[in-house]
Amino acid sequence: MKILVCISNVPDTTTKIKFAEGNASVDTAGIQWVINPWDELSLTRALELKDNPANGVNSVTVVHVGTAASEPTIRKALAIGADDAIRVNADSSDAFFVAAQIAEVVRKEQFDIIMCGIESSDYNGSLVGGMISEFLGIPSVSAVSDLKIENGQPLLTREIDGGKEVVSVSVPLVAIVQKGIAKEPRIAAMRGIMMARTKPVKLVEPMAVESLTQVVVFEKPAPRAACKYIDAENPAQLIDLLQNEAKVI
Amino acid sequence: MSVLVYTENWDGKFKKLSFELVSYASGVAKMAGTSVTAVSIGKVDDTELKKLGNYGASKIVAVTNEKLSTLDNQAYASVISEIALKENSGVIIISNNNAGKAIAPRLSVRLKAGVGSGVSRLPLNLNPFTVYKRTYSGNAFAHLVIKSDIKILTLAQNSFDLAETPGNSCMIENFSLTVDEAHLKTVVKDVQKQTGKILLTDADIVVSGGRGMKSPDNWSPLTELASLLGAATACSRPVSDEGWRPHDEHTGQTGKIIAPNLYIAVGISGATQHLAGISSSKYIVAINTDKDAPIFEAAQYGIVGDAMKILPKLVEAVKAKK
């Protein structure tokens, strides 16, 4: 069984976002780039599945759509333990474009399980995984918090309102994963970092796909009103304010 | 051209989320000078379906095929896209909840329709079609232009006020279709559902605890306050990682993203990742011993002090009001 893990290259989640070009883009100066947090957990789970020979996972490949600037993020994924990587050499203009590129990679290379994080921490779109599956005409399961392989078949736990559902789906499939899929992201060990230098990164040129959306301008969220402090000795005043001023209780 | 809205049901019933979606769809339809068609999949009786009319749906397409009782993303997207084409829909509205996130991207590819996900306001402009969209986990908002003929918008839960349209007439059309079982690939093996608990994503009020609660044994005044307020309980990431509280209570960037009317953060310092999950709340209350904690910058009301002393007093104050 072959697993493909889709990874996105995003600013570290503690970054203070600043804009450039008249607020039309994000100022990348000084940004620390990381693997999108959900993709990192997704990669961790893929590697855990490969660790147990009973699961029959032969390889874990990572795919990324981005320019040469995102090479360090790909190397990091290899250092964590992915066997090889594919980079589609293009600026990721929108989810539709990215998903179309990854679907093309899957058509050529054939994977059984394609894993995507539920969203990227930059565009918060929650789109790429579902789009890949539709481009390929294969099933997808979203909000997946556990992925096992039993008797060669994936068994997935997905979150539903107020609970969980365990579903089985035949391969190939796209698993769109969220919190719970792995406990902690796996960290690259020194040996992994050394090995990552020689692992193959295949470069693929993009197909011509038109993006469907475009950000024209960014803005900062509206500032909140200053905090009104209530004396710790008299918390009952808070209840008064919530009832009579904010009118929320 | 019409505006199509997919309204999920829960055991045959709609909830506030469904009416928010229809209210939003009506707002878009009004801007575009057109009408709203709602799609319902599953067994929902006519009385319940008619409720969608109260928020401006003029037509309801009801799909009651029993084979669609399980959410199969592929099958659902196929049904909705068929109806969208039949209804000549220019805009499709879906929730940004679990089901919506599963369906919207598949619809997008089927219809070659660009998606504005997680919107909370009406479109800024219809030509070019521009939406206001949360990005960078709430640290920035984007004006996103959707260039395709058909547009899909996923609406953030609890972000749009209900708007009733008195006197609106609405017709129900039963839509029958044949579902090929070979195409249904999602087989449910087991369901674990909690009942009787207010869902975090539905709640108007949320009381949330962080590491400042000091121990899992200290939660009873917090849960008591929540139950008195009719609130859901939540927690910060360290708390769920430690196993003090269940994972489904974790709010924050990698947990649940919520937008209640009132969010009470007890012993939560307010790291960027936590704020990413709660910053759309209408009112935030912070209770923390550290007066410099970043949560106070996000809050409208704050108490600097020890949660263990303050919570019981809040419980008493709420009881006194009742």
Side-chain angles (χ1 to χ4, degrees), chain A residues 11-46:
Chain A
D12 180 276
T13 52
T14 56
T15 307
K16 288 258 185 263
I17 298 298
K18 281 183 253 155
F19 309 125
E21 299 175 275
N23 295 344
S25 67
V26 166
D27 183 359
T28 54
I31 285 184
Q32 178 82 27
W33 296 90
V34 298
I35 303 174
N36 177 43
W38 291 271
D39 302 346
E40 205 177 16
L41 290 171
S42 156
L43 173 61
T44 301
R45 184 61 192 153

Side-chain angles (χ1 to χ4, degrees), chain A residues 11-17 19 26 33 37-38 41 94 96 99 118-135 137-143 155 157-170 176 178-180 183-185 210-222 224-249, chain B residues 8 10 15 70-74 77 96-98 101-102 104-110 112-115 117 121 130 132-148 185-194 199 201 205 225 229 237 240-241 247-248 250 253-257 261-262 264 272-273 278-285 287 291 296-305 310 313-314 317-318 321:
Chain A
D12 180 276
T13 52
T14 56
T15 307
K16 288 258 185 263
I17 298 298
F19 309 125
V26 166
W33 296 90
W38 291 271
L41 290 171
D94 81 340
F96 188 84
I118 188 114
E119 68 171 38
S120 66
S121 61
D122 50 4
Y123 283 89
N124 306 130
S126 294
L127 295 170
V128 171
M131 285 177 169
I132 294 170
S133 61
E134 192 64 35
F135 273 118
I138 62 174
S140 58
V141 182
S142 188
L155 201 62
T157 303
R158 69 174 167 190
E159 188 173 335
I160 54 171
D161 280 333
K164 287 169 182 175
E165 213 168 56
V166 180
V167 299
S168 81
V169 182
S170 56
I176 302 157
Q178 64 167 36
K179 185 184 162 66
K183 258 194 140 162
E184 285 285 328
E210 219 176 308
S211 64
L212 303 180
T213 60
Q214 188 189 355
V215 172
V216 286
V217 70
F218 283 104
E219 59 183 66
K220 282 274 167 199
R224 284 185 175 265
C227 183
K228 193 180 257 186
Y229 288 93
I230 293 120
D231 184 3
E233 296 304 313
N234 186 19
Q237 199 202 338
L238 173 68
I239 302 301
D240 249 349
L241 289 166
L242 293 177
Q243 195 165 38
N244 302 316
E245 190 178 81
K247 298 189 168 64
V248 283
I249 61 172
Chain B
E8 184 182 353
W10 291 262
K15 57 185 184 189
T70 296
L71 172 61
D72 183 295
N73 304 343
Q74 211 169 355
N96 194 37
N97 68 353
N98 285 334
K101 284 178 184 171
R106 301 202 68 129
L107 265 183
S108 163
V109 171
R110 256 175 194 271
K112 215 171 178 233
V115 187
S117 42
R121 296 183 187 177
T130 314
Y132 183 79
K133 180 197 172 328
R134 176 180 178 273
T135 58
Y136 293 93
S137 306
N139 289 311
F141 286 82
H143 294 201
L144 183 83
V145 170
I146 305 178
K147 301 182 278 187
S148 50
K185 289 170 185 152
T186 307
V187 182
V188 176
K189 299 282 184 186
D190 186 27
V191 183
Q192 302 149 15
K193 229 173 172 173
Q194 281 183 315
L199 289 182
T201 43
I205 303 176
L225 180 64
L229 293 172
R237 178 172 172 173
S240 70
D241 282 356
H247 277 290
D248 59 21
H250 166 202
Q253 182 161 43
T254 51
K256 287 202 170 61
I257 294 164
N261 290 334
L262 174 61
I264 303 179
T272 323
Q273 292 89 336
I278 60 130
S279 60
S280 298
S281 307
K282 287 169 195 81
Y283 284 90
I284 296 172
V285 170
I287 301 170
K291 68 172 174 41
F296 288 113
E297 284 167 38
Q300 286 82 45
Y301 298 107
I303 304 180
V304 178
I310 291 164
K313 287 183 185 167
L314 288 176
V318 176
K321 293 271 179 195

Side-chain angles (χ1 to χ4, degrees), chain A residues 73-94:
Chain A
T73 296
I74 295 175
R75 289 286 164 204
K76 192 181 168 199
L78 294 171
I80 292 169
D83 297 298
D84 58 348
I86 301 168
R87 178 167 70 83
V88 181
N89 190 25
D91 235 337
S92 49
S93 51
D94 81 340

Side-chain angles (χ1 to χ4, degrees), chain B residues 10-298:
Chain B
W10 291 262
D11 300 321
K13 298 285 175 215
F14 294 123
K15 57 185 184 189
K16 190 173 154 232
L17 162 69
S18 326
F19 306 129
E20 280 170 16
L21 284 163
V22 181
S23 301
Y24 183 86
S26 300
V28 177
K30 208 171 164 191
M31 287 173 75
T34 181
S35 62
V36 174
T37 301
V39 180
S40 163
I41 301 176
K43 218 172 166 197
V44 184
D45 67 36
D46 282 6
T47 322
E48 191 69 12
L49 286 174
K50 287 250 162 157
K51 289 182 186 168
L52 301 176
N54 298 341
Y55 298 90
S58 55
K59 182 174 175 182
I60 293 152
V61 179
V63 184
T64 50
N65 197 311
E66 281 192 6
K67 287 175 187 158
L68 295 172
S69 57
T70 296
L71 172 61
D72 183 295
N73 304 343
Q74 211 169 355
Y76 273 51
S78 150
V79 170
I80 298 168
S81 74
E82 199 177 323
I83 296 170
L85 291 173
K86 193 173 132 302
E87 293 291 316
N88 189 24
S89 307
V91 183
I92 303 172
I93 315 286
I94 304 183
S95 175
N96 194 37
N97 68 353
N98 285 334
K101 284 178 184 171
I103 298 166
R106 301 202 68 129
L107 265 183
S108 163
V109 171
R110 256 175 194 271
L111 298 168
K112 215 171 178 233
V115 187
S117 42
V119 299
S120 54
R121 296 183 187 177
L122 287 171
L124 301 169
N125 199 346
L126 291 186
N127 193 20
F129 197 94
T130 314
V131 295
Y132 183 79
K133 180 197 172 328
R134 176 180 178 273
T135 58
Y136 293 93
S137 306
N139 289 311
F141 286 82
H143 294 201
L144 183 83
V145 170
I146 305 178
K147 301 182 278 187
S148 50
D149 291 341
I150 302 177
K151 287 93 179 160
I152 299 174
L153 306 181
T154 70
L155 179 69
Q157 201 169 342
N158 282 336
S159 66
F160 197 77
D161 290 337
L162 297 181
E164 290 204 53
T165 50
N168 178 55
S169 69
C170 137
M171 58 170 276
I172 297 171
E173 181 186 297
N174 287 300
F175 186 80
S176 62
L177 77 171
T178 44
V179 177
D180 184 350
E181 275 185 67
H183 290 144
L184 296 174
K185 289 170 185 152
T186 307
V187 182
V188 176
K189 299 282 184 186
D190 186 27
V191 183
Q192 302 149 15
K193 229 173 172 173
Q194 281 183 315
T195 47
K197 198 176 162 185
I198 300 168
L199 289 182
L200 190 47
T201 43
D202 288 345
D204 287 326
I205 303 176
V206 173
V207 186
S208 186
R211 235 182 326 207
M213 294 291 292
K214 294 192 185 88
S215 148
D217 306 327
N218 290 341
W219 242 263
S220 66
L222 189 150
T223 50
E224 190 180 0
L225 180 64
S227 100
L228 284 168
L229 293 172
T233 50
C235 68
S236 68
R237 178 172 172 173
V239 165
S240 70
D241 282 356
E242 290 287 336
W244 293 3
R245 299 295 295 175
H247 277 290
D248 59 21
E249 284 198 359
H250 166 202
T251 48
Q253 182 161 43
T254 51
K256 287 202 170 61
I257 294 164
I258 55 170
N261 290 334
L262 174 61
Y263 183 80
I264 303 179
V266 187
I268 295 176
S269 65
T272 323
Q273 292 89 336
H274 186 76
L275 296 179
I278 60 130
S279 60
S280 298
S281 307
K282 287 169 195 81
Y283 284 90
I284 296 172
V285 170
I287 301 170
N288 205 297
T289 47
D290 175 8
K291 68 172 174 41
D292 297 320
I295 189 77
F296 288 113
E297 284 167 38

